[in-house]
Amino acid sequence: MYLPHQRGQLHDLADDPAAYDRVLADVTEQALARLTPDGSLEHPAATDDVGDTSLGITSLLALAWHRTKDPRLPDAVRRSLAFHLRARVYTEDNPGYPNLTVLNSGLPYARYVLAPGAHPIGDWPSTVWALLQLVNVIETADGLLDDELRDEVVELGHGYWRWLTEATVFNPQDAANQAIGCVVGGLMLARHLRPEEGELVRRRALGLYADEIRARRVRDRGAPLPPEHGGAYDNNYGPISLSFLAQAHRVSGEEMFAEDGDTLARYIDARLCGSGFDIGGPRYSEQHSAFESVLGLRYFGRRIGADLGRYAGDARWARHAVGADGGVDGHFAFMLVWQIQDTTNWHRTPATAPACHQLRSGTVTVSFDDRMTPSVIEAGGTALVAAAVNRQHGFGPVTDGFLLCRPMGAVRVADHRVGGLAAKLVSKPVVGRDHVLRHLQSLYVTDGTRLWMTVVLERLDGERYLLAGMPYVTAEGDRFRRVGDFPLVAAAGELRLTHPEEGSPDSFDARSELTQEQAAFALAADPRGYGDPDAGWRHVRTTTALEVGPAPDAPEGLDVFAVRYGEGDRQLNVVCERAEEGLVLRTESFTALLGGPDAHGEPQLTLRAAGR
């Protein structure tokens, strides 16, 4: 089976003006065929995320007219805009909406679901999206709107802004992508208001960003990030926030948006495998955005000099939102408008500077979590995610069922590159159930096609092995196919692939038809789509796992676990010896010296390719 959402690297999409004109031409033909007598451009099957969608297609038609002067478009733009003004602007409070701070304000807003009280919780983001669609219509419809109609549209935008910032709680879903989107709407709207009004809106927008978003960032992997639905980062919404930061910087020139975008972009770069695979998040573990992410990934990828375009987006929404039948939907159409207007080109060269939470070279990637334990390892075209034993998740030594990967003290990291080799040494103190402090050193070395992981620590008692990951997906063309094993692996000790017993509700067998996200939501405390799949996944007791026994002939008092991922002989030979300078590890491809700590307690790593 294939993962349903990750369907190809985003920078594979053509983004030249002619390609975008073809996209707009397709939207134009679909929209003109769909336009109803009353002016609606909504997808006929849409039931939610609907309050702004006709207006979104209107904005695309206005942009298409701006670029092509197609004589069929002025009437369609005016009729569809009139439909929104007449039928999709609400001023009476939605029954059951819980976030109002001013009752019966009379201010306009957009509904997530049109029926009164049907699902009011989504009205805040729907109004943000309506504001953004509206300002795009204003900015692309020169010559289409007379002064009276334009004034009405600008006044409606001002009303949307006031409802979002005066009549309700700001950012009620704790979703930074929505909140930054609101700020962008205010910044864009301010340019079309009278100067004194515009300056007030601009100041309010910048203040909301500084006080309600920037000041509340959450740290993950060392980076302060805008929080998404209660977590630091989400595969779907995180890159969308990056796009909003790009647009905020484009329209305001404020340096804080560039700084925060650069930080988020570097974080995304550290997460991503070479293939674009990633996993984890507080709302969606595996679902990825597509066209909604392009602006931010392209804009900030160019700024930081990293290939963020390898992000594996959802190709079903490659250019714009679509319904189940593949027909165009106006949801988030503002992102396509901005994407077309921005002329930044993709930066397709990978970043080469060492990054703390990532080791990447060629087709090999190791992405590290906050504990400097791998979250994803990709080698040989296959990605392995953290395995679980006794509800403990990660990569690391296991002794009597206890996983030693959670640090009890400072974690130290050393990077070294020489010739075609790149390496990272992670040193961390860990404590087991016996309360004994052990010093664990994990060395990761790659030549761009293979990865060696060697873990050294004080000799363990009882049954012991290295939990070396769960094979999960392999890149196959522009899709990711689920896998249940990983044949391209060798170990210096006993190597085995284990699977949970059948029928256990809190286990995950990689050979099953379930995705990780589906299994995670089944164990989450909240309903599908609102819960935290990462939290649900933490309830998984055991998973499919690669397990590696200790290497023979380790120095006295030490356990050495060694595994190689990627092509190579089935036999892995690792020699570990004590030396005056530290611990020497030798394989067929390299020699590494794990030196003692320097005067500041930092570990020392020296690497030499075999034969040098």
Side-chain angles (χ1 to χ4, degrees):
M1 61 176 289
Y2 291 95
L3 294 184
H5 300 289
Q6 296 170 330
R7 300 188 176 195
Q9 299 191 5
L10 292 180
H11 63 35
D12 289 341
L13 292 168
D15 59 358
D16 57 280
Y20 282 132
D21 282 338
R22 289 191 293 272
V23 172
L24 289 174
D26 176 59
V27 170
T28 295
E29 297 308 319
Q30 287 195 55
L32 293 177
R34 177 186 296 172
L35 186 65
T36 65
D38 65 352
S40 173
L41 288 169
E42 291 165 0
H43 192 286
T47 58
D48 55 21
D49 266 325
V50 70
D52 66 296
T53 58
S54 179
L55 187 60
I57 296 182
T58 302
S59 72
L60 291 173
L61 295 182
L63 178 63
W65 181 84
H66 186 72
R67 292 166 71 92
T68 67
K69 298 300 187 288
D70 184 331
R72 301 173 298 168
L73 294 180
D75 181 63
V77 168
R78 296 185 189 111
R79 285 174 58 194
S80 59
L81 181 58
F83 167 78
H84 181 82
L85 295 173
R86 181 180 67 252
R88 293 296 176 259
V89 178
Y90 297 85
T91 55
E92 295 182 357
D93 294 352
N94 198 352
Y97 184 70
N99 300 313
L100 290 175
T101 57
V102 179
L103 300 183
N104 303 313
S105 68
L107 292 170
Y109 67 95
R111 285 185 177 173
Y112 176 74
V113 175
L114 300 180
H119 193 70
I121 198 69
D123 289 355
W124 200 86
S126 287
T127 304
V128 174
W129 311 152
L131 172 60
L132 294 170
Q133 316 280 28
L134 202 67
V135 291
N136 278 342
V137 170
I138 294 169
E139 296 196 345
T140 57
D142 286 346
L144 292 177
L145 310 182
D146 59 34
D147 291 344
E148 182 178 356
L149 181 55
R150 186 183 184 281
D151 289 345
E152 181 180 358
V153 172
V154 171
E155 185 60 30
L156 174 60
H158 197 190
Y160 281 154
W161 170 256
R162 291 188 59 202
W163 187 87
L164 290 164
T165 60
E166 297 176 19
T168 78
V169 173
F170 183 78
N171 190 20
Q173 295 184 20
D174 192 23
N177 74 95
Q178 300 171 8
I180 305 172
C182 182
V183 168
V184 171
L187 293 172
M188 296 182 70
L189 173 70
R191 302 186 295 189
H192 304 284
L193 298 172
R194 290 188 295 273
E196 61 276 10
E197 286 184 334
E199 182 59 24
L200 288 175
V201 170
R202 176 184 167 86
R203 287 182 184 175
R204 175 71 168 146
L206 295 175
L208 285 169
Y209 181 77
D211 299 335
E212 299 294 333
I213 303 170
R214 199 179 204 210
R216 299 187 179 184
R217 288 180 295 175
V218 178
R219 283 194 174 270
D220 184 50
R221 308 183 192 193
L225 306 172
E228 296 294 343
H229 292 279
Y233 180 81
D234 181 281
N235 286 323
N236 184 31
Y237 295 114
I240 294 175
S241 278
L242 191 67
S243 287
F244 281 128
L245 287 169
Q247 183 66 3
H249 187 242
R250 290 182 68 232
V251 301
S252 75
E254 292 288 336
E255 191 60 25
M256 64 179 173
F257 297 121
E259 292 172 358
D260 295 355
D262 288 351
T263 297
L264 179 54
R266 291 190 181 95
Y267 172 87
I268 293 174
D269 183 49
R271 290 185 67 110
L272 287 184
C273 293
S275 65
F277 178 74
D278 191 13
I279 197 165
R283 185 73 178 269
Y284 295 113
S285 295
E286 297 179 295
Q287 294 189 37
H288 281 47
S289 50
F291 80 96
E292 314 100 311
S293 303
V294 165
L295 174 64
L297 295 170
R298 197 172 66 191
Y299 188 85
F300 285 104
R302 172 64 60 180
R303 275 184 57 90
I304 69 170
D307 179 17
L308 300 185
R310 69 185 187 283
Y311 180 86
D314 188 335
R316 297 170 306 170
W317 286 33
R319 298 297 194 180
H320 49 68
V322 298
D325 62 355
V328 64
D329 187 303
H331 183 50
F332 256 66
F334 49 82
M335 280 295 188
L336 178 58
V337 173
W338 302 340
Q339 187 189 132
I340 293 173
Q341 293 171 334
D342 179 56
T343 57
T344 304
N345 295 317
W346 284 114
H347 181 93
R348 291 188 171 92
T349 304
T352 56
C356 179
H357 291 86
Q358 167 262 316
L359 174 67
R360 186 172 59 243
S361 177
T363 59
V364 172
T365 304
V366 186
S367 299
F368 296 89
D369 63 17
D370 246 347
R371 305 174 303 185
M372 286 307 297
T373 297
S375 58
V376 181
I377 287 176
E378 184 175 81
T382 295
L384 301 96
V385 299
V389 56
N390 294 335
R391 287 196 174 88
Q392 303 161 97
H393 296 240
F395 290 74
V398 176
T399 174
D400 290 332
F402 190 86
L403 175 60
L404 295 168
C405 72
R406 291 169 294 281
M408 181 66 75
V411 179
R412 315 287 185 136
V413 179
D415 287 277
H416 193 91
R417 292 182 179 242
V418 59
L421 299 175
K424 186 182 294 288
L425 175 64
V426 177
S427 301
K428 64 172 80 169
V430 297
V431 174
R433 284 200 176 97
D434 56 8
H435 302 287
V436 174
L437 184 70
R438 295 178 173 86
H439 294 272
L440 186 150
Q441 290 190 298
S442 302
L443 176 66
Y444 307 85
V445 181
T446 178
D447 62 2
T449 60
R450 298 168 294 177
L451 172 72
W452 289 261
M453 179 169 69
T454 307
V455 179
V456 182
L457 77 166
E458 292 91 338
R459 179 70 57 89
L460 300 170
D461 297 323
E463 180 188 7
R464 60 200 194 276
Y465 61 89
L466 177 70
L467 194 65
M470 178 179 74
Y472 188 60
V473 294
T474 189
E476 193 172 274
D478 59 355
R479 299 293 301 275
F480 289 97
R481 180 171 55 84
R482 278 286 312 283
V483 295
D485 60 5
F486 187 58
L488 303 178
V489 61
E494 179 188 1
L495 175 66
R496 55 187 177 268
L497 180 67
T498 64
H499 301 285
E501 294 182 5
E502 292 185 14
S504 175
D506 56 355
S507 65
F508 184 81
D509 192 326
R511 300 169 299 181
S512 72
E513 292 296 307
L514 282 178
T515 66
Q516 183 268 358
E517 183 178 270
Q518 291 167 335
F521 268 118
L523 295 170
D526 296 307
R528 178 77 169 90
Y530 299 98
D532 182 345
D534 273 4
W537 186 247
R538 286 191 289 271
H539 291 296
V540 171
R541 178 177 53 84
T542 184
T543 63
T544 293
L546 281 170
E547 299 177 354
V548 176
D553 303 324
E556 184 178 355
L558 294 180
D559 268 329
V560 177
F561 302 92
V563 59
R564 185 191 63 228
Y565 307 91
E567 296 281 359
D569 297 335
R570 299 294 293 179
Q571 181 66 32
L572 173 61
N573 295 311
V574 175
V575 176
C576 181
E577 298 175 328
R578 296 186 191 274
E580 185 176 340
E581 301 88 351
L583 202 63
V584 177
L585 295 172
R586 291 190 180 89
T587 73
E588 74 280 11
S589 298
F590 65 87
T591 298
L593 172 63
L594 282 55
D598 65 12
H600 302 286
E602 297 298 328
Q604 301 300 294
L605 171 63
T606 305
L607 190 66
R608 186 176 72 247
R612 293 194 175 188

